[in-house]
């Protein structure tokens, strides 16, 4: 169900974001916005997502905007799973077929590569390496495994992938923000809650010791940007604890979390959308990413009790 922008008070974050979405977003993000904020249905979201589905059970066609071309990729498929999870449709034969695809592209230890070599020949962000024998990646595997566990999906591939994630998380001695986010996504969904809480406690200490979260917005220079990241590509507490019941929420004080959410609110731009933090490499991918980032910013603010409408 499409919304009527004039029905929302002018100037609210949601009203401004709605104008931005209708102006710039792909059909999928338009329908996701309608579902989350305008009482839209799940079927339109699923129909739009189906346009990215390939015969092998994976997703392609630049669903994840930094990888272009038609071929299925783990990152595209993880993005599709997040969309399905967000509308309560992460289950059934569709997800079973996705798991078969993930099995086919997984490495010898059951993990997922960030990019399968089939991407070669198609445009991709320069910070996404394409190699013949890609390594196992917690970055790619953790969010998928955690999400599937949270939705009580069981598949033979999950056993090996879960073992890989446990070993990767518990052996982290240094890290970077995106890898920590992947670890949190795994720990928030995995069934062994006691083990997850212990791992999260150690990971939270690592985040604070290595200054991976910007806790004082007035002193960004005190928090180093990870190698390979864009200048100023800092990550805040809300980037790790996107919902209040995340294990990462315990890493931060109420005051730190409030400052973080204040920064997120203030980051909305004049056009109504939120900016990209990472390096922009092509106009088309940047344009497609911003509505995604905008939807997630609004969802994060609302989950933490901030008024957006």
């Amino acid at each position: 169900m499409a919304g009527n922008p004039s029905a929302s008070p002018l100037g609210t974050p949601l009203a401004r974001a709605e104008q931005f979405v209708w102006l710039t977003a792909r059909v999928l993000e338009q329908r996701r916005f309608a579902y989350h904020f305008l009482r839209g249905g799940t079927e339109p979201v699923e129909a739009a997502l189906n346009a990215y589905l390939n015969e092998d059970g994976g997703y392609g066609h630049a669903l994840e905007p930094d990888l272009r071309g038609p071929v299925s990729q783990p990152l595209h498929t993880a993005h599709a799973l997040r969309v399905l999870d967000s509308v309560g449709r992460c289950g059934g034969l569709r997800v079973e077929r996705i798991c078969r695809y993930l099995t086919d592209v997984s490495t010898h230890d059951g993990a997922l590569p960030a990019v399968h070599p089939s991407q070669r020949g198609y445009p991709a962000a320069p910070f996404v390496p394409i190699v013949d024998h890609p390594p196992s990646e917690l970055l790619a595997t953790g969010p998928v495994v955690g999400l599937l566990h949270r939705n009580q999906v069981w598949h033979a591939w999950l056993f090996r992938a879960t073992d890989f994630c446990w070993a990767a998380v518990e052996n982290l001695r240094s890290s970077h923000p995106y890898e920590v986010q992947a670890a949190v996504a795994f720990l928030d969904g995995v069934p062994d809650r006691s083990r997850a809480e212990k791992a999260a406690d150690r990971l939270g200490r690592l985040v604070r010791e290595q200054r991976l979260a910007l806790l004082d917005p007035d002193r960004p220079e005190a928090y180093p940007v990870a190698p390979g990241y864009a200048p100023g590509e800092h990550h805040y507490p809300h980037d790790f604890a996107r919902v209040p019941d995340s294990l990462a929420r315990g890493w931060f004080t109420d005051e730190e979390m409030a400052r973080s959410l204040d920064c997120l609110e203030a980051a909305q731009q004049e056009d109504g959308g939120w900016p990209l933090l990472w390096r922009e490499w092509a106009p088309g991918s940047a344009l497609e990413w911003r509505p995604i980032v905008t939807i997630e910013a609004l969802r994060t603010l609302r989950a933490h009790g901030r008024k957006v409408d």
Side-chain angles (χ1 to χ4, degrees):
M1 180 180 72
N4 177 3
S6 64
S8 299
L10 293 178
T12 67
L14 185 61
R16 293 162 58 203
E18 183 177 353
Q19 293 288 340
F20 174 75
V21 166
W22 296 137
L23 179 65
T24 65
R26 304 181 295 189
V27 172
L28 176 60
E29 281 70 54
Q30 291 178 18
R31 292 181 171 179
R32 289 190 66 206
F33 186 91
Y35 172 83
H36 288 296
F37 303 107
L38 304 174
R39 299 183 181 179
T42 59
E43 290 78 8
V45 176
E46 291 185 281
L49 185 62
N50 282 340
Y52 300 89
L53 179 63
N54 286 323
E55 292 183 2
D56 60 7
Y59 289 76
H61 306 280
L63 177 57
E64 204 273 16
D66 283 332
L67 298 178
R68 316 305 291 184
V71 294
S72 296
Q73 286 292 324
L75 288 180
H76 294 318
T77 306
H79 191 112
L81 284 169
R82 287 194 294 273
V83 171
L84 291 169
D85 175 60
S86 71
V87 299
R89 294 295 181 93
C90 190
L93 293 177
R94 181 207 304 264
V95 174
E96 184 176 322
R97 191 178 179 204
I98 289 174
C99 286
R100 288 201 297 269
Y101 163 76
L102 297 173
T103 302
D104 290 341
V105 298
S106 63
T107 61
H108 68 280
D109 51 9
L112 297 173
V115 182
H116 190 270
S118 61
Q119 181 66 32
R120 183 173 283 109
Y122 297 104
F127 46 79
V128 182
I130 303 170
V131 297
D132 288 332
H133 303 288
S136 302
E137 295 269 12
L138 176 63
L139 188 68
T141 315
V144 171
V145 173
L147 184 151
L148 292 174
H149 278 306
R150 192 172 66 250
N151 284 276
Q152 300 182 338
V153 173
W154 290 102
H155 187 275
W157 167 74
L158 265 178
F159 291 98
R160 289 191 304 141
T162 300
D163 288 342
F164 166 81
C165 289
W166 275 126
V169 170
E170 293 177 338
N171 286 306
L172 282 179
R173 296 296 178 267
S174 63
S175 191
H176 59 91
Y178 289 119
E179 187 174 50
V180 172
Q181 288 177 29
V184 170
F186 168 70
L187 294 173
D188 279 347
V190 75
D192 190 339
R193 302 313 301 154
S194 176
R195 187 176 179 183
E197 289 168 5
K198 292 178 182 176
D201 183 64
R202 189 184 69 82
L203 188 60
R205 292 196 298 272
L206 182 150
V207 165
R208 297 188 74 95
E209 291 166 1
Q210 297 186 5
R211 294 177 172 262
L212 300 183
L214 199 165
L215 303 180
D216 185 352
D218 293 329
R219 298 176 58 244
E221 69 281 356
Y223 298 85
V225 174
Y229 283 32
E233 190 178 349
H234 292 288
H235 289 247
Y236 294 78
H238 67 260
D239 291 311
F240 302 100
R242 293 195 172 272
V243 292
D245 60 354
S246 171
L247 290 173
R249 177 61 183 87
W251 302 349
F252 309 110
T253 67
D254 290 347
E255 182 180 0
E256 289 167 345
M257 200 70 203
R259 285 200 300 262
S260 176
L261 294 169
D262 288 344
C263 288
L264 182 59
E265 284 182 328
Q268 188 176 20
Q269 298 189 322
E270 187 176 347
D271 62 8
W274 267 259
L276 303 187
L277 294 178
W278 60 91
R279 198 181 307 276
E280 297 181 20
W281 64 281
S285 64
L287 184 65
E288 291 177 354
W289 264 122
R290 285 195 64 211
I292 299 172
V293 170
T294 296
I295 290 169
E296 294 311 315
L298 289 168
R299 293 183 67 205
T300 298
L301 289 168
R302 189 171 65 178
H304 285 280
R306 294 296 178 102
K307 186 174 176 59
V308 297
D309 55 9

